[in-house]
Amino acid sequence: MSEDTVREEPFPSPSRQATGLVNGVETEVSSMNFSDKIMVTISQGGRLAQWVQVPLAAPSAASVDMALPGAGSLLPSEHLTATTLLGGGNAERETMGQLYASQIASLLTLRNPNEQRSLLLGLGLEKVDTTTSDSFYDVVELVQQVL
């Protein structure tokens, strides 16, 4: 093979995408898996205004908690701590971003209790709806399609 030849290769990081309606707004969700992080983006209107990180590595005592009955509930695992890296805007948006990140991290650890990577969540919702849980469940359902 000569040096001038360009060989086309697929992007080396596994990725998945899904689109759906959340509160009547088209929402795009994607995930990319890297050796040290799992990146999930949730975007409406092409925006990403907040970034949250959650380490998924669990101390051994937390692993026992995940195996107990009730681990399939929608409540995030107690050992997961979400940290806002960028954005947030106000306390309500920051809290919702951390709730989404903790919930997604919990889904990841329930699927693979030995997961050691960190979740990096990019969030760009047009509005935060705290009056109903419908939008929360719609977003979580979309995310489950890409994990």
Side-chain angles (χ1 to χ4, degrees):
M1 180 183 273
S2 71
E3 291 181 28
D4 295 337
T5 305
V6 176
R7 188 171 72 186
E8 294 292 326
E9 292 286 334
F11 190 70
S13 178
S15 63
R16 296 181 72 183
Q17 296 178 340
T19 303
L21 290 179
V22 175
N23 274 348
V25 179
E26 187 167 312
T27 306
E28 298 174 17
V29 178
S30 68
S31 69
M32 294 181 78
N33 293 293
F34 299 95
S35 62
D36 62 339
K37 295 206 182 346
I38 300 168
M39 184 175 76
V40 175
T41 59
I42 304 168
S43 177
Q44 292 178 332
R47 74 181 75 203
L48 287 173
Q50 182 178 4
W51 289 91
V52 182
Q53 178 174 303
V54 183
L56 301 178
S60 58
S63 297
V64 172
D65 289 343
M66 288 190 313
L68 294 174
S73 75
L74 285 178
L75 294 174
S77 299
E78 293 179 16
H79 76 280
L80 300 170
T81 304
T83 304
T84 301
L85 300 175
L86 294 169
N90 59 37
E92 188 176 75
R93 275 194 182 273
E94 187 167 346
T95 300
M96 280 305 288
Q98 291 180 356
L99 177 61
Y100 278 119
S102 296
Q103 183 64 45
I104 295 166
S106 192
L107 290 170
L108 288 166
T109 57
L110 286 173
R111 288 182 181 200
N112 181 4
N114 297 320
E115 183 63 70
Q116 297 294 308
R117 296 176 285 179
S118 291
L119 168 68
L120 180 61
L121 174 65
L123 195 59
L125 300 177
E126 286 185 8
K127 61 183 178 181
V128 176
D129 183 10
T130 57
T131 59
T132 177
S133 60
D134 291 342
S135 59
F136 179 80
Y137 291 124
D138 290 344
V139 169
V140 170
E141 185 177 314
L142 276 174
V143 169
Q144 286 178 326
Q145 294 176 26
V146 301
L147 293 181

